[in-house]
Amino acid sequence: MAFDVARVRGLFPALGDGWVHLDSPAGMQVPEQVATAVSTALRAPVSGPGGIFPASQRAEAIVDAARRAVADLVNCDPAGVVLGPNPAVLLARLAEALGDGWLIGDEVVLSRLDHQANTAPWLRVAQRAGATVRWAEIDIETCELPAWQYENLVSHRTKVVAVTSASGAVGTRPDLKRITEVARGQGAVVVVDASSSAPFIPIDINAAGADVVAVSAGAWGGPAVAALAFADAAMVERLPASSLDPRAAGPERLELGQHAYPLLAGLVASVDYLAELDDTASGNRRERLVTSLSSAKSYQAGLLSRLIGDLRGLRHVMVIGDAMRRIPALAFTVADVKAQDAVVHLAERGICAFADDTPSGVFATLGVGEVGGAVRVGLAHYTNSVEVDQLVEALAGFRA
């Protein structure tokens, strides 16, 4: 496997601004080939689908290519790929469809590790139907999401188990396979939010045992579009339709309004970019994606290990959590310093990071808001060891 971070950095024009971009939890910077694909599609004549003229056929071709790109990314049938603006919108649409027939006494299982995009829609639907919400808790010391608890949480009344494949806040990767085995054993639908993990690890919807997987192109340097991938494309036909077109069939049944065709063209280019992270990868796009993401995973695991080790060497910095399996995202606190002040300190030294003191989600569970919040950073495909050293150096002498 060959991952050349210097070559990858050359694909990103935005890195020329001189900042250290450790803000990838909010989305990576955009590679040149993605920007070019979007601008090219904007310049070309594109119309609504359904016509026999070239502009309409071009729109249909872009949508088809986008479905096939996502299908290659998650290893599913393109006919089971629903496209939309972002995971929050798509998951809300899915929750409305799946919860349409829920009754009092039905149950849904959520996790404290998940982003609100994969909890808020299910809470709304459950409240409306009178369904019971059960929560999988995290270990506050390690930030792990113990899989064994699902054996007690999931029952024959459970309709949906919604869980993240990785936390973009603290980096934890739950044992999805064990969780999905328990859920499917009780006949529950498993909805996995892979928005944070898709840029870093190969996804196989069937191997994971998920029924639906959500991904966001912006997370890996694509445009602001997202997708729901169904393991069984026929499942879409069994759900209540959201489309305004009564003739809509297949994934179009859950798609509302006209697509942003230039952005979908960028989505295709962004998946191709992921497949080219390892320039020695060969085979079809799915095979190249697996090779490239595996290479990137190995590179970033080493970089993350170095960063965590260096941060833990600073007595006034506390890294939150100690999960065994993780993506390259982490959070930390600085003793007697509010997270917002720490972020300002980093920004003054040219480093991008986020402060998080939100009253919900994983940090609320951990009680981080009581100590001034947490600083969140993430490693991207283009992050190198020099930038990691800059972060550590900037924190080394920083105290209240």
Side-chain angles (χ1 to χ4, degrees):
M1 296 186 290
F3 183 87
D4 183 351
V5 67
R7 180 187 68 82
V8 172
R9 288 179 67 83
L11 303 176
F12 291 85
L15 298 185
D17 67 354
W19 284 75
V20 175
H21 287 279
L22 299 180
D23 52 348
S24 64
M28 292 190 194
Q29 300 302 311
V30 178
E32 175 62 32
Q33 68 195 76
V34 174
T36 299
V38 173
S39 62
T40 299
L42 281 168
R43 294 187 182 97
V46 177
S47 183
I52 61 172
F53 47 93
S56 180
Q57 294 172 346
R58 188 173 292 111
E60 292 178 358
I62 289 174
V63 173
D64 179 66
R67 295 197 205 281
R68 287 188 285 108
V70 173
D72 284 344
L73 182 68
V74 304
N75 196 27
C76 74
D77 184 343
V81 174
V82 177
L83 302 169
N86 57 62
V89 168
L90 290 175
L91 287 167
R93 205 171 295 164
L94 177 66
E96 292 291 334
L98 285 174
D100 188 56
W102 289 2
L103 303 171
I104 294 175
D106 288 336
E107 299 172 354
V108 58
V109 177
L110 310 178
S111 100
R112 301 291 185 189
L113 191 65
D114 273 71
H115 188 276
Q116 284 181 291
N118 201 30
T119 57
W122 305 109
L123 288 171
R124 284 196 295 268
V125 172
Q127 182 179 30
R128 185 170 64 236
T132 300
V133 177
R134 298 184 181 276
W135 288 95
E137 303 291 345
I138 62 173
D139 184 316
I140 61 173
E141 294 294 329
T142 64
C143 291
E144 296 273 16
L145 183 71
W148 55 260
Q149 64 187 308
Y150 281 84
E151 296 177 7
N152 299 321
L153 292 170
V154 181
S155 73
H156 68 282
R157 298 303 303 269
T158 303
K159 296 298 183 182
V160 167
V161 173
V163 64
T164 185
S165 61
S167 167
V170 293
T172 304
R173 289 174 53 202
D175 186 350
L176 268 186
K177 191 168 184 180
R178 186 174 173 187
I179 294 171
T180 58
E181 284 176 353
V182 173
R184 293 172 73 90
Q186 295 288 355
V189 173
V190 181
V191 179
V192 174
D193 182 2
S195 302
S196 295
S197 64
F200 305 111
I201 58 175
I203 298 174
D204 189 324
I205 190 171
N206 298 301
D211 293 293
V212 188
V213 167
V215 294
S216 173
W220 62 73
V225 289
L228 293 179
F230 288 74
D232 178 9
M235 181 179 175
V236 184
E237 296 288 353
R238 299 192 294 268
L239 296 175
S242 303
S243 175
L244 301 178
D245 184 354
R247 301 166 300 175
E252 294 178 357
R253 289 167 50 81
L254 294 182
E255 294 172 348
L256 191 61
Q258 192 172 33
H259 288 297
Y261 299 110
L263 299 186
L264 292 185
L267 166 62
V268 177
S270 71
V271 174
D272 288 337
Y273 150 76
L274 288 178
E276 297 162 4
L277 284 172
D278 185 333
D279 57 4
T280 67
S282 60
N284 59 37
R285 182 165 57 189
R286 172 62 188 174
E287 293 168 337
R288 288 183 284 114
L289 279 164
V290 172
T291 299
S292 288
L293 288 172
S294 296
S295 296
K297 177 185 173 184
S298 296
Y299 166 77
Q300 289 172 318
L303 203 59
L304 180 65
S305 178
R306 173 177 172 174
L307 173 58
I308 292 175
D310 288 348
L311 289 179
R312 285 182 174 155
L314 303 177
R315 297 183 61 180
H316 59 293
V317 174
M318 184 186 76
V319 177
I320 298 174
D322 188 23
M324 292 293 293
R325 291 160 25 101
R326 59 189 305 152
I327 59 169
L330 60 85
F332 59 87
T333 61
V334 181
D336 301 320
V337 176
K338 291 184 178 180
Q340 188 59 49
D341 293 336
V343 165
V344 170
H345 172 82
L346 293 175
E348 290 172 346
R349 286 150 183 81
I351 300 171
C352 302
F354 288 103
D356 198 319
D357 57 358
T358 52
S360 60
V362 62
F363 293 123
T365 301
L366 296 172
V368 172
E370 299 173 9
V371 293
V375 178
R376 294 176 56 199
V377 296
L379 309 184
H381 300 142
Y382 41 76
T383 307
N384 60 24
S385 58
V386 173
E387 293 177 321
V388 166
D389 291 343
Q390 285 179 269
L391 172 63
V392 176
E393 182 180 353
L395 292 169
F398 182 50
R399 288 177 172 80

